């Protein structure tokens, strides 16, 4: 499989303190087969200096292909991803949070099954492999595993980490799917809908996880877990479009 360009979709909300750090990490990555990088940042109406930090980085790093878009009102992470996916021009795209929980150095691990001609979609799992994982919240981990189990029940997949940020998609494929969830419901919705694509080839690879505490800026909460259950039923059990 020949891939010329990878689009890296970054939804950003109040990440002014870390956005330059994740961009530095992306800049340092040399993708296999000299794949070109396209960075697409969607600022979801941040209230801090996220926009100023992005403009400063663009000015100081003209060699990095950064496409910047912003929402005039806050719509949610899922809505930011919808915007980024629609703007992507790469052969494949990957989702990257603006914080430092996931390591861009592992892009190549996700790309390998695609480049080898085996995969259309690759998920990066925090629950498999021997990569470093920060030890944080017991119930958060149990919740993630339970949601993955429930998602697998209806999708007939055997994923270990449905809620992971790192999802690598064939761009044309993901752009052809109607996505509606505006917040963290994006994860179960896209998983259920991807699973229904005929002859889809989904792979999973182990990744590192440098999780944040809520004091450090983590945003997902129990209400998002309730919404995820609703989305699994809506798009899995009832197969809503």
């Amino acid at each position: 499989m020949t891939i010329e360009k990878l689009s890296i979709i970054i939804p950003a909300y109040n990440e002014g303190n870390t956005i330059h750090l994740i961009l530095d990490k992306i800049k340092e990555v040399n993708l296999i087969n000299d794949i070109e990088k396209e960075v697409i940042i969607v600022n979801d109406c941040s209230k801090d200096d996220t926009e100023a930090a992005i403009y400063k980085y663009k000015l100081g790093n003209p060699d990095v292909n950064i496409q910047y878009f912003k929402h005039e009102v806050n719509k949610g992470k899922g809505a930011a991803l919808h915007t980024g996916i629609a703007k992507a021009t790469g052969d494949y795209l990957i989702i990257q949070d603006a914080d430092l929980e996931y390591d861009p150095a592992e892009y190549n691990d996700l790309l390998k099954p695609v480049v080898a001609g085996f995969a259309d979609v690759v998920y990066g799992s925090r629950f498999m492999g021997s990569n470093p994982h920060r030890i944080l919240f017991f119930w958060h981990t149990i919740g993630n595993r339970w949601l993955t189990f429930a998602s697998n029940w209806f999708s007939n997949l055997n994923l270990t980490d449905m809620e992971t940020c790192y999802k690598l998609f064939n761009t044309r494929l993901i752009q052809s799917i109607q996505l509606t969830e505006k917040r963290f419901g994006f994860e179960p919705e896209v998983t259920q809908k991807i699973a229904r694509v005929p002859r889809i080839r989904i792979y999973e690879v182990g990744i590192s996880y440098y999780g944040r505490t809520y004091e450090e800026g983590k945003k997902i909460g129990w209400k998002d877990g309730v919404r995820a259950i609703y989305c699994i039923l809506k798009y899995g059990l009832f197969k809503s479009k």
Side-chain angles (χ1 to χ4, degrees):
M1 175 69 186
T2 301
I3 303 177
E4 295 184 359
K5 184 193 298 184
L6 175 69
S7 296
I8 302 162
I9 313 298
I10 306 178
Y13 178 69
N14 292 347
E15 300 288 358
N17 291 332
T18 61
I19 189 74
H20 67 288
L21 299 175
I22 198 66
L23 290 172
D24 278 341
K25 287 181 173 290
I26 293 171
K27 180 180 179 179
E28 292 169 1
V29 175
N30 293 315
L31 297 179
I32 54 178
N33 296 351
D34 295 320
I35 296 172
E36 177 186 349
K37 289 174 288 187
E38 173 188 59
V39 181
I40 299 176
I41 305 174
V42 183
N43 180 5
D44 192 31
C45 195
S46 295
K47 305 303 181 183
D48 66 353
D49 62 346
T50 294
E51 182 168 73
I54 294 168
Y55 281 132
K56 181 179 178 180
Y57 195 91
K58 280 173 59 71
L59 184 64
N61 298 270
D63 54 324
V64 181
N65 179 9
I66 297 176
Q67 305 299 317
Y68 175 62
F69 305 92
K70 69 176 180 177
H71 293 164
E72 296 301 329
V73 296
N74 180 259
K75 299 180 180 180
K77 179 182 178 180
L81 290 174
H82 299 167
T83 298
I85 289 168
K87 300 295 184 180
T89 64
D91 305 288
Y92 274 71
L93 64 83
I94 191 169
I95 298 168
Q96 171 70 63
D97 282 347
D99 56 36
L100 301 175
E101 292 191 330
Y102 296 82
D103 188 357
E106 296 174 342
Y107 289 166
N108 286 326
D109 294 333
L110 283 88
L111 282 166
K112 285 176 183 177
V114 174
V115 172
F118 295 120
D120 305 302
V121 176
V122 182
Y123 279 39
S125 172
R126 297 165 291 177
F127 303 126
M128 61 184 289
S130 59
N131 295 15
H133 298 82
R134 184 178 181 181
I135 304 303
L136 282 175
F137 308 113
F138 172 76
W139 290 113
H140 189 269
T141 300
I142 293 298
N144 275 337
R145 291 184 183 274
W146 192 91
L147 290 173
T148 296
F149 174 81
S151 177
N152 286 343
W153 182 278
F154 295 109
S155 66
N156 197 30
L157 299 176
N158 64 338
L159 293 169
T160 65
D161 191 5
M162 176 272 294
E163 288 282 347
T164 180
C165 163
Y166 270 2
K167 294 178 172 68
L168 176 72
F169 298 104
N170 177 293
T171 301
R172 288 187 179 181
L173 172 65
I174 193 64
Q175 287 177 340
S176 72
I177 294 175
Q178 181 180 348
L179 297 170
T180 60
E181 290 297 317
K182 304 298 185 184
R183 291 181 54 79
F184 292 99
F186 172 88
E187 315 295 352
E189 179 190 11
V190 75
T191 301
Q192 295 298 324
K193 291 183 175 180
I194 281 289
R196 299 205 295 263
V197 175
R199 297 179 297 279
I200 190 74
R201 301 173 302 170
I202 304 173
Y203 274 64
E204 197 175 40
V205 300
I207 60 169
S208 305
Y209 183 60
Y210 303 91
R212 294 193 298 180
T213 64
Y214 289 99
E215 290 76 17
E216 292 168 335
K218 192 171 188 65
K219 299 180 178 69
I220 194 168
W222 67 268
K223 292 182 180 179
D224 297 300
V226 173
R227 180 68 186 185
I229 296 171
Y230 168 81
C231 291
I232 290 170
L233 295 174
K234 178 179 180 180
Y235 302 109
L237 178 61
F238 299 107
K239 293 181 169 52
S240 176
K241 293 184 178 180

